[in-house]
């Protein structure tokens, strides 16, 4: 009695694996653009059919349930990385304006941290860091201290003093 069951189970597994392999192949080919999806009406991609037993088995009742597939955002076509990078880059004039704005902020303050400059300017941390590096290279601002105690000012003495005060404030 076990042999008809084993044969039927083997046939079911074999059919399932062939169908699965065919579906994966078709999906990959469509993804690569080699083969288009069939012209027939495709089932709703948000539902997945689950069969508990084959239709040919008289002893087991056939039942069909549907599960909701997880919601996924529709596929979008993105521009190549080089175009996205170039689109996000500021122009020379915008960069120069940002550097001047940060120079004014540092000049008006008495030893500011990167976070303080970031909040006052409204620029991102990377933009502020880039502008501070350019200003330091030009000799227009000075940095005192390191890491979290780094402070920026128009003179080296003011930057060192602000860093020292920040270090003392952290120790207290």
């Amino acid at each position: 009695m076990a042999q008809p069951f084993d044969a039927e189970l083997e046939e079911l597994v074999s059919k399932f694996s062939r169908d699965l392999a065919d579906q994966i192949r078709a999906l990959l080919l469509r993804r690569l653009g080699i083969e288009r999806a069939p012209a027939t009406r495709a089932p709703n991609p948000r539902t997945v059919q689950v069969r508990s037993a084959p239709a040919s088995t008289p002893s087991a009742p056939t039942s069909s349930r549907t599960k909701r597939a997880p919601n996924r955002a529709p596929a979008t076509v993105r521009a190549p990385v080089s175009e996205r990078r170039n689109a996000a880059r500021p122009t020379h004039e915008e960069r120069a304006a940002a550097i001047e704005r940060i120079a004014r902020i540092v000049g008006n303050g008495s030893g500011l941290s990167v976070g303080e400059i970031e909040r006052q300017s409204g620029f991102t941390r990377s933009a502020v860091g880039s502008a501070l590096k350019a200003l330091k290279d030009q000799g227009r601002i000075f940095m005192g201290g390191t890491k979290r105690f780094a402070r920026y000012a128009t003179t080296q003495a003011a930057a060192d003093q602000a860093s020292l005060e920040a270090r003392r404030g952290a120790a207290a």
Side-chain angles (χ1 to χ4, degrees), residues 19-113:
D19 289 346
L20 182 61
D22 288 342
Q23 289 175 358
I24 290 172
R25 180 187 57 78
L27 179 66
L28 289 172
L29 290 175
R30 276 196 312 271
R31 183 72 174 162
L32 294 171
I34 297 172
E35 182 178 281
R36 294 192 177 263
T40 60
R41 184 172 179 260
N44 184 352
R46 294 189 181 260
T47 60
V48 179
Q49 293 290 329
V50 179
R51 297 206 181 266
S52 61
S56 63
T57 308
S59 60
T62 304
S63 69
S64 178
R65 301 176 301 180
T66 59
K67 284 186 184 174
R68 296 289 293 174
N71 288 334
R72 293 199 174 120
T76 57
V77 178
R78 295 182 67 183
V81 173
S82 61
E83 289 179 19
R84 290 194 310 255
R85 281 189 191 133
N86 290 337
R89 286 189 182 155
T91 64
H92 181 69
E93 292 80 21
E94 292 170 336
R95 180 170 159 72
I99 290 172
E100 289 306 314
R101 182 171 177 184
I102 290 175
R104 276 195 308 275
I105 290 170
V106 172
N108 291 337
S110 58
L112 299 172
S113 68

Side-chain angles (χ1 to χ4, degrees), residues 111-112 136 141-153 155-164 166-167:
L112 299 172
K136 283 191 308 182
I141 65 168
F142 297 91
M143 181 179 90
T146 59
K147 299 185 182 183
R148 69 180 221 183
F149 300 113
R151 298 297 184 266
Y152 297 88
T155 65
Q156 187 66 55
D160 290 337
Q161 182 64 34
S163 176
L164 187 62
R167 200 174 284 275

Side-chain angles (χ1 to χ4, degrees), residues 118-170:
E118 182 183 352
R119 281 187 291 279
Q120 289 183 24
S121 68
F123 294 130
T124 63
R125 185 168 293 265
S126 62
V128 170
S130 175
L132 289 172
K133 182 180 183 322
L135 289 166
K136 283 191 308 182
D137 291 346
Q138 295 170 8
R140 295 174 60 188
I141 65 168
F142 297 91
M143 181 179 90
T146 59
K147 299 185 182 183
R148 69 180 221 183
F149 300 113
R151 298 297 184 266
Y152 297 88
T154 53
T155 65
Q156 187 66 55
D160 290 337
Q161 182 64 34
S163 176
L164 187 62
E165 289 172 9
R167 200 174 284 275
R168 283 188 196 136

